[in-house]
Amino acid sequence: MPTLGQPLPHDSAIEHVRGEAAYIDDLPPLRGELIVDFVGSPIALGNISSIDTLAARAMPGIVLILTAADVPENSTGPVFHDEEVLASKVVQYVGQPVVAVAGETRAAVNAAMKLVRIQIEPLLPVLTIEEALAKKQFIGPTRKIARGDAGLALQSSEYRLTGEFAIGGQEHFYLESQATIAVPGESGAVVIHSSTQHPTEVQSLIGRALKIPYAQVVCICKRMGGGFGGKETQAAQPAILAALVASKTRRPARIVLGHEQDFASTGKRHPYLSRYEVGFTKDGKITALKSEFYSNGGFSADLSLAVMERTLLHGDNAYHIPDVELTGTVCRTNLPSNTAFRGFGGPQGVAAMENVIEEIAAFLKIDSLAVRRLNLYGQAKHNITPYGQVIHHNPLPAILDRLAATCEYAQHYHAVTAFNIKSKTHWKGLALTPVKFGISFTRRTLNQGNALVNVYLDGTVQVSTGGTEMGQGLNIKIRQLVADRLGIAADSVRVMATSTEKNNNTSPTAASTGTDINGAAAVRAADAIRDRLAVVAARHFVLDGLEATPECVDFADGWAFDHRDPSRRIAFVKLVQDAYEKRVDLGARGFFATPGVDFNRETGRGTPFKYFTCGAAFAVVKVDRFTGELAVECVDLLMDLGKMINPAIDRGQVIGGFVQGMGWVTTEALIYNAKGHLLSDSATTYKIPSVTDVPAAFRLDWFDGTDDPNAVCGGKAVGEPPLLLAIAVWAAAKNAIANAAPGRRPTLDLPATGEEMLRRLTAGTTPAEPPEKHLQGATSARPPIGSVPSTAVV
Ligand code: MTE
Ligand code: HPA
Ligand code: MOS
């Protein structure tokens, strides 16, 4: 039976259920191990005037206390070295590590941390995008992707609307917080066990901070209890602290951030502000779009510029816009540095576009699906993105049409209309939105990976790649791919812990490319061994006195056989043993570099993506008129994942990604006080979706219309795209606002929390304005992003 396409369970499914899958803090203490923690800045911005650690040092059980001066190279950061391992002169966000404490026990460390005295002269922090704009505090240059002349086209457009749209951030809420164990080795070497999506970067940033050669550092990641982008760069900082302690004390060192400490002091999805101007015809055909994006980057660059780039590359979502100008500026604020989060800026770009679609539909009083269908990228024409990439094998028109039919859009539409006429307590809304997510790292270099395959004499196989397992099912997919090439069962293949010792210079497991890149590299390594085995097997297959050629040899079901006469065959394990006797190499390395991708960020043009993963979502929501509470009544998803390697894993990814996205667009609100302290820093104040928030009417189906030759392993990348499907829920909420007061502008920010919904439903005084009026300025008043919402609206 072929292993590809089988719904095999997750690599660690049994261990997950039994609680046997070990995460970093499950690893038993090593002899002499020290606990490491850090004292973070109590304020968002200030000059450090003094640090007093004397009392803390004197505490029993305290072994080492570190400040900036103790770090061999204190400057750090994933792209630019614009961060510090420990703050030296200034603190730039609440929770920023200033003093590291290492001790024999957790209790000793906790007690000592309380005695550390940090004196800081406070300065006025900049927390919101608006404040940063006023102060012109930016990170990097403003970036632009444009086609045609949007300004000119807007002037000649039949209708125009301008507006502002604020998009909230999101906490990763991985169940395993940032964690590392560092073990000192011989001659200054150090072995790092880290919960990281990017072992190579942890290795190199530790090498840099400790001023030791990269070859002295090994970083291992067995698995993560979730990453979601939050461990693409931000696992490194605590890992460096543990490595420093290990190297200075010659003792193992463990750092595991507390959940609320992690929540408050690490970066999140970027909040955005978009200012747009759209031109369209009376039918809803978009003629021109100008969109300015501003993101809240936090105190340092981290990945913010790449995230913004992906926003611009998704600011069209799935729509052909003849004249378009998208610009993006990252704002510097005194918050933890915002970072990668599932979708990597794409969701913000798509949400902004879908907001525009809903605005047009409400203004023209037509159904938003008609507007979407009218503007959708086509197959033979209208299939070129603003950055010049041609969309090949575009399944979107067929996906939209099929989902509209199977979800019974028309019936729902009439039911919602009828409900809204009758109901005195609730408003309903609905939406069907497409998603087209670009697959590849937008930085070309990162689209490479290597793999190591070892075949053992009992016919079993070990595979190692640079890819990391964070729950997404990478390991089982790689097992299936390698098993398929060698014609053996997936059970015979094991994926080993990721280690920089086996796979060097790896890219983060990110951009949904984990399987595409590492799977392809593993397939190449397996094929190298398969080719050698075919030579050995061919000698066994003599037909009419003539040996077979290696090309005649196939591998399936645990056998190597002559495909001209399958009765001539040799068991895989026998063949392996024979090859060993004949001194044939049974190990191989494979390398893969995604072909055909290139993007010039200066000109904003190129082919950044190998292909697009596409899908669509339908949602119906119901809003309580008196509380603003939003309930998702019904969801119907349709995705094109090509020839799936593992439909069970993909199903989990789609549902999980959608629900995570639903949290972002509905209930997850990051609330800071005026001093930059995160108030919503735990599960009691920050509401992620629970099982009861997932509608009982939840359907998911696969669209198998396309056979996209660009998909790297046959199946299309699944990790991030389904998160963007949840934007249908937000669009449905906006539709409910529009239904509540036809003719009024249905302004709605994201997330559509109960407060936000109620504010929009009750602030119903904004009159229907002619669109030209909006050209003058902003829409209705909105509290600045990141401020405490006023309760006065109720
Ligand atoms: N699924 C689980 N269970 N846990 C995770 O942390 N991360 C997501 C997605 N799915 C994540 C997940 C993100 S942000 C990405 S980029 C991809 O998985 C990364 O893995 P892949 O490239 O192998 O799909
Ligand atoms: N996606 C996700 N992570 C990344 C990317 C990207 O395009 N570029 C760098 N890290
Ligand atoms: Mo995912 S945000 O690319 O780690």
Side-chain angles (χ1 to χ4, degrees):
M1 200 168 53
T3 56
L4 289 187
Q6 290 300 308
L8 300 181
H10 188 279
D11 202 52
S12 303
I14 305 274
E15 289 78 7
H16 286 157
V17 172
R18 287 193 183 144
E20 288 169 359
Y23 299 89
I24 294 294
D25 208 25
D26 294 321
L27 302 177
L30 295 161
R31 183 183 303 176
E33 186 181 283
L34 297 172
I35 300 295
V36 183
D37 203 341
F38 60 80
V39 181
S41 169
I43 66 168
L45 184 67
N47 292 317
I48 299 175
S49 45
S50 74
I51 301 174
D52 179 358
T53 61
L54 276 178
R57 275 176 215 272
M59 289 294 284
I62 293 305
V63 175
L64 185 69
I65 291 194
L66 299 172
T67 61
D70 303 309
V71 188
E73 173 53 67
N74 195 35
S75 73
T76 187
V79 182
F80 309 101
H81 298 130
D82 61 346
E83 302 177 17
E84 289 186 311
V85 176
L86 291 169
S88 58
K89 297 192 183 73
V90 284
V91 288
Q92 296 173 91
Y93 64 94
V94 173
Q96 179 174 5
V98 183
V99 175
V101 178
E104 305 285 353
T105 62
R106 181 81 247 176
V109 170
N110 285 352
M113 285 189 2
K114 290 205 185 89
L115 299 181
V116 170
R117 293 281 167 267
I118 306 169
Q119 290 217 330
I120 305 172
E121 295 156 18
L123 298 167
L124 201 63
V126 167
L127 301 173
T128 65
I129 292 172
E130 286 85 348
E131 289 165 12
L133 282 174
K135 291 206 164 175
K136 297 198 166 40
Q137 268 190 211
F138 304 124
I139 296 173
T142 293
R143 297 274 300 275
K144 179 158 110 175
I145 291 178
R147 166 170 62 200
D149 188 334
L152 204 65
L154 278 168
Q155 278 173 29
S156 55
S157 291
E158 216 169 318
Y159 294 104
R160 274 177 287 175
L161 282 171
T162 43
E164 265 192 26
F165 176 46
I167 303 173
Q170 187 180 21
E171 157 64 19
H172 298 88
F173 225 104
Y174 31 64
L175 293 183
E176 181 191 30
S177 52
Q178 305 282 3
T180 288
I181 297 175
V183 186
E186 293 178 9
S187 318
V190 58
V191 176
I192 307 296
H193 296 269
S194 174
S195 183
T196 174
Q197 290 173 242
H198 200 347
T200 283
E201 191 166 275
V202 168
Q203 174 193 28
S204 55
L205 288 178
I206 285 175
R208 177 186 164 90
L210 273 61
K211 287 196 174 159
I212 58 176
Y214 295 178
Q216 291 286 76
V217 187
V218 174
C219 179
I220 300 167
C221 176
K222 169 69 182 160
R223 63 166 63 81
M224 280 158 274
F228 305 112
K231 294 170 182 170
E232 181 172 339
T233 62
Q234 302 204 354
Q237 165 105 11
I240 294 170
L241 294 179
L244 271 169
V245 170
S247 95
K248 285 186 192 283
T249 61
R250 315 295 310 143
R251 293 171 66 171
R254 176 183 304 236
I255 186 163
V256 180
L257 267 56
H259 190 259
E260 288 174 19
Q261 180 187 22
D262 189 311
F263 202 145
S265 70
T266 64
K268 318 194 179 306
R269 183 188 297 287
H270 292 71
Y272 272 63
L273 175 67
S274 102
R275 290 181 177 154
Y276 63 89
E277 183 170 356
V278 63
F280 50 99
T281 67
K282 62 179 182 319
D283 307 319
K285 179 92 188 75
I286 299 173
T287 45
L289 175 69
K290 241 185 183 180
S291 240
E292 293 170 13
F293 290 96
Y294 301 93
S295 72
N296 188 331
F299 84 102
S300 72
D302 191 272
L303 295 170
S304 296
L305 294 168
V307 168
M308 180 56 85
E309 178 169 276
R310 192 171 276 272
T311 301
L312 300 184
L313 292 168
H314 287 77
D316 56 342
N317 189 18
Y319 310 110
H320 182 263
I321 306 162
D323 290 87
V324 52
E325 183 184 303
L326 309 169
T327 54
T329 309
V330 179
C331 297
R332 190 188 296 280
T333 62
N334 297 110
L335 293 179
S337 201
N338 285 320
T339 191
F341 193 141
R342 207 169 193 171
F344 204 77
Q348 292 94 325
V350 170
M353 184 69 231
E354 293 303 334
N355 177 55
V356 166
I357 297 271
E358 290 294 332
E359 288 279 327
I360 293 171
F363 174 76
L364 294 174
K365 299 200 178 68
I366 58 177
D367 175 28
S368 63
L369 180 57
V371 179
R372 292 187 168 96
R373 194 62 188 80
L374 187 64
N375 290 287
L376 206 63
Y377 279 116
Q379 260 144 352
K381 56 175 197 166
H382 294 157
N383 63 344
I384 302 177
T385 63
Y387 43 94
Q389 172 156 5
V390 180
I391 305 166
H392 297 289
H393 314 280
N394 178 11
L396 284 164
I399 287 179
L400 247 65
D401 292 347
R402 195 180 122 187
L403 183 60
T406 55
C407 79
E408 304 188 320
Y409 186 88
Q411 288 92 319
H412 277 290
Y413 187 90
H414 294 304
V416 164
T417 309
F419 176 91
N420 285 332
I421 291 169
K422 237 176 67 191
S423 175
K424 300 269 182 290
T425 55
H426 292 81
W427 297 110
K428 280 193 183 184
L430 88 181
L432 193 163
T433 63
V435 166
K436 163 187 129 290
F437 194 81
I439 303 300
S440 291
F441 288 98
T442 55
R443 185 174 159 219
R444 184 172 177 268
T445 307
L446 294 177
N447 296 293
Q448 59 171 310
N450 61 70
L452 176 67
V453 172
N454 289 332
V455 176
Y456 295 91
L457 294 185
D458 63 350
T460 63
V461 177
Q462 290 182 347
V463 189
S464 305
T465 76
T468 53
E469 176 64 57
M470 59 194 98
Q472 85 278 40
L474 172 68
N475 287 2
I476 183 63
K477 286 186 179 179
I478 288 184
R479 281 171 59 190
Q480 287 173 273
L481 286 165
V482 169
D484 173 67
R485 299 312 297 161
L486 298 177
I488 57 178
D491 275 351
S492 302
V493 182
R494 244 186 105 194
V495 173
M496 311 309 290
T498 314
S499 166
T500 57
E501 194 170 27
K502 291 172 290 181
N503 301 101
N504 60 335
N505 310 331
T506 61
S507 296
T509 307
S512 305
T513 61
T515 304
D516 280 12
I517 290 175
N518 300 287
V523 162
R524 294 212 172 160
D527 278 348
I529 297 173
R530 176 183 157 123
D531 289 346
R532 292 176 213 146
L533 288 173
V535 173
V536 178
R539 292 185 209 148
H540 289 266
F541 305 149
V542 184
L543 195 66
D544 301 330
L546 284 174
E547 265 186 23
T549 61
E551 291 74 44
C552 299
V553 181
D554 257 345
F555 294 75
D557 299 325
W559 297 90
F561 58 92
D562 187 333
H563 68 66
R564 300 165 306 173
D565 175 7
S567 71
R568 290 161 210 277
R569 58 181 196 171
I570 176 170
F572 182 75
V573 56
K574 284 272 178 307
L575 178 60
V576 164
Q577 288 160 0
D578 188 40
Y580 173 70
E581 287 301 326
K582 294 184 167 120
R583 302 192 295 177
V584 172
D585 184 1
L586 291 170
R589 230 172 107 91
F591 179 77
F592 179 78
T594 313
V597 289
D598 206 2
F599 179 68
N600 183 331
R601 62 175 57 143
E602 304 308 323
T603 60
R605 298 192 68 76
T607 305
F609 305 120
K610 185 70 185 122
Y611 61 91
F612 297 94
T613 293
C614 296
F618 171 70
V620 182
V621 303
K622 188 166 134 183
V623 187
D624 187 310
R625 291 189 190 189
F626 307 107
T627 66
E629 190 186 0
L630 185 84
V632 184
E633 286 220 312
C634 151
V635 166
D636 208 330
L637 311 178
L638 183 60
M639 282 209 86
D640 173 16
L641 296 179
K643 284 206 274 299
M644 287 178 283
I645 295 166
N646 186 320
I649 293 292
D650 287 359
R651 193 179 166 78
Q653 282 293 293
V654 173
I655 296 172
F658 180 88
V659 172
Q660 191 170 40
M662 222 175 71
W664 172 54
V665 303
T666 58
T667 58
E668 296 181 36
L670 293 163
I671 311 289
Y672 297 85
N673 70 12
K675 291 181 168 173
H677 288 256
L678 181 63
L679 301 177
S680 54
D681 68 347
S682 79
T684 48
T685 46
Y686 181 83
K687 175 75 179 84
I688 61 168
S690 69
V691 68
T692 52
D693 296 315
V694 181
F698 194 113
R699 282 209 307 183
L700 159 62
D701 206 354
W702 307 120
F703 179 85
D704 38 33
T706 60
D707 200 356
D708 189 338
N710 290 313
V712 179
C713 297
K716 290 190 169 190
V718 65
E720 295 164 286
L723 185 134
L724 293 87
L725 292 178
I727 291 165
V729 171
W730 180 86
K734 182 159 171 121
N735 179 241
I737 301 275
N739 293 341
R744 187 174 81 203
R745 205 159 173 196
T747 305
L748 179 69
D749 284 336
L750 183 157
T753 58
E755 292 92 328
E756 172 69 4
M757 291 302 287
L758 193 62
R759 174 158 54 230
R760 299 310 183 180
L761 285 171
T762 54
T765 43
T766 319
E769 295 170 65
E772 268 65 33
K773 270 205 163 173
H774 291 288
L775 290 171
Q776 258 70 66
T779 54
S780 57
R782 172 176 43 73
I785 305 156
S787 68
V788 185
S790 145
T791 48
V793 291
V794 186

